Amino acid sequence: MTFYNTLQESEACLRNFDAHEISRGSVIRAVESESCSPERLLTLLSPKASDDLELMARKAHEITLRQFGRVIQLYTPLYLSNFCDNQCSYCGFNARNRVPRKTLTLEEIEREAAYIASTGLKHILILTGGSRPHAPLSYIKSAVRVLKKYFSSISAEIYALSEGEYAELAAEGVDGLTIYQETYHEAVYDRVHKAGPKKDFQFRLEAPERAARGAFRNVNIGALLGLSDWRRESFFLGMHAGYLQDRFPNVEISASVPRIRPHEGDFSGFEQVSDRDLVQMILALRLFLPRLGITLSTRESPWLRENLVPLGVTRMSAGSTTEVGGHTIACHDAEDASQFKIADERNVEEIKAMLVARGYQPVLKDWMQL
Amino acid sequence: MEDLFRVGGREFQSRLLLGTGKFANYAVMKKAIEESGSDIVTVALRRVDPGSQADNILDFIPPQCTLMTNTSGARDADEAIRIARLAKAGGAGNWIKIEVVQDNKYLLPENLETLKAVEVLVKEGFVVLPYMSPDLSMARRMEDAGAAAVMPLGAPIGSNRGIKTRELVEIMVREIKVPVIVDAGIGSPSQACECMEIGCAAVLVNTAVAISENPVQMASAFRDAVMAGRRAYLSGIPEKGGLSGAASSPLTGFLSDEK
């Protein structure tokens, strides 16, 4: 049994759930309840519940304060390579896109690391494209050995690995794994992942549980909002996070809520996900899973990020670039080789100042190599 | 007679211990600690950033306070032991609050791994205060292993529900010789007062102060509540009576009847 089985059961719940039958009373009960039933999550995500966002927000804020305090943890991504063997229609690294490709050398990684460390950040997220030949596990492990000198906690967002490989990475000193399913809709998944190893829906879907068994401390999942109906995606994301929390109680589970951003490539036809939708999604996840970490990237605008802070967010990126060598090496006048366009370009000091002004403590260090 | 709080071979005035997580900033945290009158403050080593000029939490701990590093984030005895050693090597002293949590949903402690860490760290010379689920036999084992106090939870961390484990904690208070300190779940001064009234040696509070609209004032409210509860306990709280007056000797009255 894996989450693939739970996904199929959850699909049956979704089919049997009639959102038109949801009354205001059932929304209020769902807000106050502590039940982990799929129906409660569906109710919180329903169109009817969107009339009561303020009610949901007050409860979500109160839960977040009690569980996590007036604290936001900061990190930044470090792109090691943008070579990719996949053809994901929503991504700038798509193998068919003609963009400059690069894999950082260990010396270049050290230069990037020294720069990022000088901003005070202690938590880093390393990323590669989906190309094993250009960024093999041995290369990632070498990168980790360099980065350990500069950062107290390292997470990775890379192509899906086997359980044994995840264990190797954890043993090397990687604390966390970030991996997005992109979409929980198997047919849509098949359509937007045109070719490459990532096309295997189930192997991707089961990666977070392989990582949890492989001894990672943190596992961060996500769905790329815009590929399919956001309510449906949010429901399965919540069910997936709940599944992982239940089975791996000693692993901290968190979720990202990325909306599709402009990128190199020609795919269009995405579903619109409004700010209001995003807010409802964050609130529903917080109410459904009080201990869930919620990560918010620089995909969102400064204005929106600031306003989302009290609603349930626990972790934010700062001083981000989505380009390989983007901190010290890439020439920004050259062709665009970023994974996607970021919307919040503020540096670490500016993000810290914003959080302080909002009454939140920016936390730069929340773990260390033991 | 002066009522001092004796723990770990030392004596303290205050019976309120304060946690340092969840505050909006370190300046407010520092004022709250000062206002609380706390003599012992716990800091998670995971949050200590000695390299940081402006943001090193240890710079905001009032110098008169005893620092008790905690092992927040440890998932087993081995990690807790390593964190304790790192803390000591980093100059954070040898007072350690052991927190071993394998349950991220409720943050409930893992008593068996906690015990293992107590056994090792006591031998290494640490003053060890284990955070635990209120279980008498575990508390006895920790006491036997040399724990300086035991710290049963009142309710899950951050729940603000109060001392839901009261009956179990009362048994511990009666049976355990080292101080029993209620840690976690205390959401309001009245709940802290209740812990003191039933004879706990001290309470540890964090969330209720840190996320209050006015942490500094809330810290002083806890200070007063803990002192009030302690004084009441020392005074001997009379038993509660029933709502109606009791009939005189309905069961033993026959002894004075004439035969």
Side-chain angles (χ1 to χ4, degrees), chain A residues 5-22:
Chain A
N5 307 90
T6 306
L7 180 67
Q8 284 159 340
E9 290 164 21
S10 305
E11 273 171 357
C13 287
L14 184 61
R15 276 194 300 276
N16 295 331
F17 183 79
D18 186 356
H20 300 295
E21 287 193 356
I22 297 297

Side-chain angles (χ1 to χ4, degrees), chain A residues 34 65-71 120 122 215-217 245-246 249-252 291 352 359-361 363-370, chain B residues 22-24 26 45-49 55 72-75 79 82-83 86 102-105 107 158-161 207 210-213:
Chain A
E34 290 185 8
L65 268 191
R66 274 197 294 103
Q67 294 289 347
F68 299 94
R70 297 184 190 277
V71 163
K122 295 281 176 194
F216 280 109
R217 302 183 57 83
Q245 272 192 346
D246 286 346
N250 65 344
V251 179
E252 284 180 33
R291 286 289 310 163
K352 280 167 70 179
Y360 279 77
Q361 181 195 152
V363 165
L364 276 65
K365 175 173 175 282
D366 194 32
W367 192 239
M368 63 253 144
Q369 307 280 335
L370 290 183
Chain B
K22 299 183 176 175
F23 282 90
Y26 291 155
L45 189 73
R46 66 192 291 178
R47 290 272 168 91
V48 177
D49 189 357
D55 300 317
S72 165
R75 300 183 295 183
E79 288 186 349
R82 281 197 258 173
I83 293 171
L86 277 176
Q102 295 183 350
D103 157 56
N104 275 296
K105 252 190 186 172
L107 299 177
S159 70
N160 288 355
R161 286 174 192 251
T207 307
I211 71 169
S212 146
E213 290 297 323

Side-chain angles (χ1 to χ4, degrees), chain A residues 59-129:
Chain A
K59 182 81 177 174
H61 174 63
E62 181 264 319
I63 292 172
T64 310
L65 268 191
R66 274 197 294 103
Q67 294 289 347
F68 299 94
R70 297 184 190 277
V71 163
I72 298 281
Q73 201 247 304
L74 297 181
Y75 73 100
T76 208
L78 169 54
Y79 281 73
L80 301 179
S81 173
N82 64 349
F83 283 95
C84 198
D85 299 337
N86 296 308
Q87 293 175 28
C88 311
S89 50
Y90 47 80
C91 179
F93 291 174
N94 187 326
R96 290 177 68 94
N97 287 348
R98 288 164 178 256
V99 293
R101 303 282 173 172
K102 181 168 176 58
T103 298
L104 296 181
T105 65
L106 295 183
E107 291 73 28
E108 288 170 332
I109 290 170
E110 183 129 24
R111 211 189 313 164
E112 290 272 288
Y115 173 79
I116 295 168
S118 74
T119 67
L121 290 177
K122 295 281 176 194
H123 288 232
I124 192 133
L125 173 68
I126 53 173
L127 296 96
T128 67

